[in-house]
Amino acid sequence: MKNHRIHLLNCSLEIVEFILKGDEAISSELGLNVPPQWSEFGVEIFRYTLESIKTNPKASIWWGYLPILTETNTLIGTCGYKGEPTEGMVEIGYEVAKSYRNNGYATEIAEILIQKAFESELVDIVIAHTLAEENPSVKILRKKGFQFIKEMLDPDDGKIWQWQLNKS
């Protein structure tokens, strides 16, 4: 396996509770360096994750992860899956804090998420969605072998593109 600069910390129930308490709790309880504005998604996504994990604790591997820059033990964003696999398919999502962008970290995060997904017997297809325009996420997905599937209308984001990668 490729040596990554990042490792992913699975957001257990306890870790999600620290996240919801704020950056100081994340730092003191998890021993992480927490930069300001490490997530643009905000805590709403973690409230949803918390409820999902409470409903099915065994499914926590299919929700949130914290990408940690190993060398400095620094939290650099959020990532994970948008729920358990259904019909052999799981969706990935990721973000990197602005101050850590353009260093290849998002590519590494996507790579780790894809690898973890395909290690599961439950997953044959990984999908992702991007805004319907050329952007850094589109470049990352293409680099990782994803194929454009279709343009869709999302009630929150407007036009989006769906991407797919099949297990080889």
Side-chain angles (χ1 to χ4, degrees), residues 103-161:
N103 291 295
Y105 297 138
T107 301
E108 281 189 38
I109 292 167
E111 190 172 284
I112 296 167
L113 289 170
I114 293 162
Q115 181 182 347
K116 283 181 174 294
F118 284 151
E119 286 172 356
S120 169
E121 295 174 0
L122 301 174
V123 178
D124 295 312
I125 298 169
V126 174
I127 64 168
H129 291 94
T130 64
L131 295 177
E133 61 189 32
E134 293 296 323
N135 60 53
S137 280
V138 167
K139 289 178 187 172
I140 290 166
L141 295 174
R142 283 190 181 125
K143 188 187 313 183
K144 300 312 318 165
F146 280 74
Q147 299 297 311
F148 173 79
I149 301 300
K150 62 184 173 184
E151 184 170 282
M152 307 164 56
L153 193 58
D154 181 89
D156 298 322
D157 297 322
K159 286 183 182 178
I160 59 171
W161 289 343

Side-chain angles (χ1 to χ4, degrees), residues 47-94:
R47 285 191 184 104
Y48 184 78
T49 299
L50 182 71
E51 292 309 312
S52 299
I53 294 171
K54 281 181 178 177
T55 303
N56 184 1
K58 291 180 182 176
S60 73
I61 63 165
W62 298 111
W63 290 100
Y65 287 82
L66 299 179
I68 310 299
L69 192 55
T70 303
E71 188 177 322
T72 59
N73 206 34
T74 302
L75 173 60
I76 63 166
T78 64
C79 65
Y81 306 99
K82 295 185 178 179
E84 295 179 74
T86 55
E87 298 178 14
M89 189 179 327
V90 72
E91 182 175 351
I92 62 169
Y94 49 86

